[in-house]
C-alpha cells in the first residue's frame, strides 16, 4: 500500500519538474484516502514556503477542518527540509514515508532528526526508502537536465 501512495507523490513530483520546479511531491492519507496533495512551486509562486509538504498539509487541514492531522500519514518523494519536518511535527502527523534521503538538507534522517526528536512534544513514525530508486531518479534526471541546459546557455553566450 505505501507504494501506491508514493506513486501519486511521484506523479506530483513529475508535474513540478515539468513546471521547472525541484521535483518533490507529497500526499497525505487518512483512512486509505488521499486528503492532501502538493508539489514544489517556490519559483512559480515566488514563495519560499511553497514546498510540496506544506501545500499538502494545508490542503489536508482544509479537508479535515482543523490543523491537527492525527490519524494521517504523509508520503513524500524526498526527505523533508527543516521547515517541512517542523510543520509535519506541528501538524501531528502519525507517520512519514520518505522516498529518498536528502543528504544536503534532509532534516528527518540525514542532517538532523526533527520528526523523531524526543525533546519535542510529538514524534512521527518514520519509514525511509519507499520506491527509493524511482524517487532518486526523478531528482537526478531533473538536475542533469538543468545542468545540461545551463551549460548550453553558457556556450551560447561566449
Amino acid at each position: 500500500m505505501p507504494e501506491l501512495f508514493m506513486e501519486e507523490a511521484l506523479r506530483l513530483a513529475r508535474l513540478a519538474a515539468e513546471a521547472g520546479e525541484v521535483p518533490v511531491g507529497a500526499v497525505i492519507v487518512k483512512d486509505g484516502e488521499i486528503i492532501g496533495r502538493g508539489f514544489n512551486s517556490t519559483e512559480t509562486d515566488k514563495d519560499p514556503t511553497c514546498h510540496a509538504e506544506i501545500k499538502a498539509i494545508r490542503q489536508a487541514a482544509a479537508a479535515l477542518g482543523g490543523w491537527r492531522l492525527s490519524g494521517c500519514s504523509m508520503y513524500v518523494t524526498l526527505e523533508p527540509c527543516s521547515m517541512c519536518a517542523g510543520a509535519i511535527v506541528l501538524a501531528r502527523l502519525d507517520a512519514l514515508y520518505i522516498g529518498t534521503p536528502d543528504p544536503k538538507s534532509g532534516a528527518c534522517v540525514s542532517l538532523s532528526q526533527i520528526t523523531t526528536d524526543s525533546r519535542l512534544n510529538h514524534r512521527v513514525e518514520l519509514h525511509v526508502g519507499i520506491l527509493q530508486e524511482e524517487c532518486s531518479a526523478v531528482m537526478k534526471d531533473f538536475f542533469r537536465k538543468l545542468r545540461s541546459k545551463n551549460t548550453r546557455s553558457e556556450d551560447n553566450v561566449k
Side-chain angles (χ1 to χ4, degrees), residues 49-70:
T49 68
C50 283
H51 287 199
E53 301 93 327
I54 301 297
K55 292 170 69 177
I57 287 170
R58 288 175 180 156
Q59 194 176 89
L64 294 179
W67 63 270
R68 287 180 187 85
L69 302 182
S70 299

Side-chain angles (χ1 to χ4, degrees), residues 11-118:
R11 185 186 72 76
L12 294 167
R14 291 181 184 108
L15 288 176
E18 289 172 17
E21 301 281 353
V22 174
V24 179
V27 298
I28 295 179
V29 175
K30 183 172 179 76
D31 299 327
E33 181 181 334
I34 296 174
I35 61 166
R37 289 177 168 82
F39 61 84
N40 279 4
S41 64
T42 55
E43 297 294 335
T44 303
D45 293 331
K46 314 268 186 274
D47 181 345
T49 68
C50 283
H51 287 199
E53 301 93 327
I54 301 297
K55 292 170 69 177
I57 287 170
R58 288 175 180 156
Q59 194 176 89
L64 294 179
W67 63 270
R68 287 180 187 85
L69 302 182
S70 299
C72 297
S73 299
M74 178 183 282
Y75 296 77
V76 62
T77 57
L78 182 69
E79 179 183 356
C81 69
S82 56
M83 173 183 69
C84 294
I88 288 164
V89 170
L90 292 172
R92 310 292 196 272
L93 284 158
D94 287 357
L96 176 62
Y97 295 82
I98 297 170
T100 191
D102 183 355
K104 294 190 178 196
S105 63
C108 299
V109 292
S110 297
L111 298 180
S112 59
Q113 296 78 41
I114 292 172
T115 54
T116 56
D117 191 322
S118 63

Side-chain angles (χ1 to χ4, degrees), residues 114-134:
I114 292 172
T115 54
T116 56
D117 191 322
S118 63
R119 295 170 295 176
L120 299 176
N121 65 336
H122 179 74
R123 280 161 295 293
V124 180
E125 180 184 315
L126 199 55
H127 306 271
V128 181
I130 312 302
L131 298 181
Q132 184 169 345
E133 287 183 27
E134 294 90 333

